[in-house]
Amino acid sequence: MRNSQSYFKKITLSASLASLSYIPTTSLAAPMLEEVIVTGQKRSESTQDTPVAITGMTSDSLEKFGFASANDISAQVPNMQVSGPFGDVQPIFAIRGVSMSDYSSNQASPIGVYSDESYMGPVYTHGMNFFDVERLEVLRGPQGTLYGKNTTGGAINIITKTPIIDDGFHVNAKLGAGNYDSRVGDLGVEGTLIDETLAVRAAYSFSRNSGYTENRSGGPNLSSIDFQGLRLTLNWQISENLNNVLKLTHGQNDSMANASRNEPRGDLNNGGAGLFGAVGGVVSGALLQGDASSGYMDNTGYSASSQNLGSHEVEDNFTGPLIVNSDMLVNKLEYLGEYHTFTSITSVSISDYAQKQNTDGSPERLLEIRWAVDTEAFSQDFRVSSNYDGMINFIGGIYYAEEEMDMHNEYAIYGTPPDVRVAITYPGATGYYPYLLDFGQLDQKMVTDKTSYAAYTQFRFDISADFGIDFGIRYTVDEIDLTYLNISREGYDGSPRGTYVPGNTTRHDEPFIPLNLGGDAGIVEIDLFLQNLLTGETTLDDILETGEIGYTHGPYTTDSSTPMSAKEQELTGKIGIDYRFSDDLMMYASYSKGFRSGNFNGGVYYRERDFDEAYARPEYIDAYEIGFKSDFYDQRARVNAAAFLYDYKDQQFINVVGVSNFLENAGGSQIAGLEAEIMFAATEKLMFMMGLGYLDTEYTELSLSNTETLNNPNDEIDLAGNELISAPKISGNISIDYEIFSGDSGYINWNVNANYQDKQWYSAYNDKGGYENIKQDAYALVNTRLTWRGINEDYSVSIWAKNIAYEEYDGYAINLQAGFGFDYFQEGPPRTFGLDATYKF
């Protein structure tokens, strides 16, 4: 049995993670699963003594699985998905159905990402620190005590390597090459500069390839990688009890952005209505040029489906580099007393992001976006943790953070005029036609300042050697100021034309009021207008609205709309109990509450809004979980499992309607699920790992605009009962590790791993309102790695392949039919393979 002091060290931190590995041995002893003890966020702990659902990998595990970027994390984590709509540097994480569908660069993820205990707010920086990693930790479920805000879904901890004082001089190097002209390299050098006092580590990493998407319009391939990162770490033992670790990280990315795939939805066989319905056949034969092979087009007349484009082939005229620069300083000062440990974590980060995205995925100029944002952030965390001999111990602290984000986006639309055939594919849009001729671009500038204060504590009560209680609470004050907002209309050359926010004095939150009959933009749908007039659906006000046509902006100005501020004060926390039936079996149950801060809409709109319309409320999760951790069969087998139920309120997500996008709150949803992680050391040479996840999700209260009735903004669809976004019912992973040869000079290890994702929706609409294609059907990815290692583990040579079966799948999708006549997709990577070599001394 454990004494209370050692038990508390292992169990109080619900934010840490132990990673498990199997070490082959040449002795005759039975194989055993080794448990790795790690220093987590607040204390050291063991996986099997921690009453939370956690998964993690050490640097050895990451190497075995061929980890290359943040997008690889979900391959071995049940109930987790990762999509990369803007490349590897900007992953979007989903855990247990809690996701972020918002692509706006000013939005914070509900999955907290931390690098060396420092919170990384901007989503576009989340992929910039995944190099020279000591271990990764994924905590599933709300982390509302020790982590605080924006962790309604969980937390991902990146712990990078720290040099050990008086541990000699060490070098690790890696070089690799693969298809698509891939080149990768890592170099780490560390040693002691002053005996017993100061050690230093310098690490450099680069990853490049020529891109896996061919642009048939000419030019370089898209979806490429061009990343490099540098980190300097100083470990200073100031005195016997006082230590300081300083980490300076610089990362930069200059790759060609991911290609967009255009799937046209404008049906040329749609006879339309009214006058066009009567002459639909004549128009189809006389006015419609080309496109006879597919029968579908977007609103410029482009039909990707008739161009015989293969997988990872596009015709692109605009996509440019995706540029991210990130500089981060993290300083950890720690004093170890006899009964208390005092810790200070200070972080400063400066980053910027810019991208040219050909969102329409075509050679036409339908929708081209320039994204840009600059961010400066600072955070400070002071905490104290106890190390008493009695039954009670605690962690407590105060936290402060501030972030300033300056966003500037430009949306160029209809540089190619709309095709006249839109009168057939979308009859209701005919009144829009004149205003899309030389519309120009929308220029959006937005500055927000965020400040967060928090005080937190978590107590551990060891009632007995086997029974314990955790109780934690956090009080958070979040303030956000919208200090500047301007949305203007410009020419394609940037010349000013008018300003919507501020300046739109109409009552319409639309870029223009189209030609219409009684408020119906389908000016040719006379029979429908007469029918609506007779039934009373068209009123006198609608007829008067016919005279309100034209652009809704006022004179051009660089002035800001009225500044707005929001302040949220929240109590979150956790209570949990656990009982150890034996040294090999522990069960736990917990209730936790998490919240994600509110935010101002980072999308485009056209009328200065009241606070309630401009601000998305915070979201909340009440989570109930029960689980167990077990070792058996002489520690050769391990099963960890959990069941959970979430009550999810006010989930934030982006909703695209026409040429507008809105940050919405879902009224309510529920998530129930199961998951298990299984490990089995079958023999000294054979190791199995498996993860299983099951989710049952539904929106209990949600209504959104019906984008199929473009001219009726009050028409909504009831989406209650639909599944949540990025929440496949079943997910799983498996890994088989086998030592196929062993000799005096080394051994050969073969790893095969796979992960499976069931069908998942990328929109809350699911299959309603024309969104039936915004999904991904079930698929599986299979990877393999064959490695020769020297007998002293000082060098290795590996050949590897990912997505062996060349599975074609989409990681992201948006319905853009209402404004542009197509669905937007981001395709997952194809099969990749390569060779790499490592050396250590």
Side-chain angles (χ1 to χ4, degrees), residues 532-749:
N532 290 342
L533 187 64
L534 292 173
T535 60
E537 292 186 38
T538 295
T539 65
L540 178 60
D541 289 339
D542 295 323
I543 295 174
L544 293 175
E545 186 178 305
T546 302
E548 299 179 6
I549 60 174
Y551 297 104
T552 57
H553 59 64
Y556 181 83
T557 179
T558 58
D559 292 344
S560 171
S561 64
T562 304
M564 296 184 183
S565 297
K567 184 176 182 179
E568 307 290 348
Q569 303 176 69
E570 301 296 343
L571 274 175
T572 57
K574 171 187 176 180
I575 184 168
I577 60 174
D578 55 87
Y579 187 80
R580 182 163 290 280
F581 293 89
S582 68
D583 289 342
D584 298 327
L585 176 62
M586 183 261 288
M587 295 193 68
Y588 67 90
S590 67
Y591 161 78
S592 59
K593 181 176 183 176
F595 95 102
R596 179 187 183 193
S597 301
N599 203 5
F600 288 102
N601 185 6
V604 173
Y605 50 90
Y606 306 94
R607 177 181 56 81
E608 192 162 352
R609 296 184 173 192
D610 295 333
F611 175 82
D612 290 341
E613 293 181 304
Y615 181 72
R617 302 182 303 276
E619 64 181 34
Y620 304 88
I621 283 186
D622 292 296
Y624 307 86
E625 183 169 330
I626 184 170
F628 69 85
K629 306 286 182 76
S630 67
D631 288 332
F632 54 95
Y633 195 29
D634 296 328
Q635 293 188 339
R636 294 174 58 182
R638 177 166 297 153
V639 178
N640 297 339
F644 50 90
L645 176 67
Y646 290 176
D647 184 13
Y648 200 174
K649 296 184 178 67
D650 293 331
Q651 180 191 12
Q652 300 171 22
F653 62 95
I654 201 74
N655 183 33
V656 180
V657 181
V659 291
S660 305
N661 40 11
F662 304 94
L663 187 60
E664 306 264 11
N665 289 103
S669 55
Q670 286 189 343
I671 302 173
L674 303 168
E675 59 198 20
E677 294 177 289
I678 303 166
M679 304 180 71
F680 179 49
T683 70
E684 293 178 8
K685 299 179 181 296
L686 182 61
M687 173 74 175
F688 293 95
M689 298 175 62
M690 181 180 295
L692 298 172
Y694 172 79
L695 291 174
D696 183 12
T697 69
E698 71 168 332
Y699 292 103
T700 56
E701 181 184 345
L702 177 62
S703 294
L704 295 177
S705 299
N706 184 353
T707 59
E708 291 185 311
T709 54
L710 190 62
N711 308 308
N712 185 356
N714 297 319
D715 187 13
E716 293 190 338
I717 301 178
D718 183 5
L719 303 177
N722 280 10
E723 295 179 8
L724 270 65
I725 299 166
S726 297
K729 281 189 176 294
I730 299 173
S731 61
N733 56 267
I734 187 169
S735 171
I736 302 173
D737 225 38
Y738 182 53
E739 184 182 305
I740 60 178
F741 171 81
S742 180
D744 294 338
S745 58
Y747 63 95
I748 298 176
N749 178 265

Side-chain angles (χ1 to χ4, degrees), residues 89 128 226-230 250-254 323-326:
V89 298
M128 298 297 288
D226 188 356
F227 168 83
Q228 58 182 340
L230 177 67
H250 171 73
Q252 61 185 55
N253 184 83
D254 189 12
I323 299 172
V324 178
N325 295 289
S326 174

Side-chain angles (χ1 to χ4, degrees), residues 263-286:
E263 291 198 0
R265 301 300 181 201
D267 186 358
L268 289 169
N269 296 313
N270 175 21
L275 294 180
F276 268 113
V279 296
V282 175
V283 172
S284 297

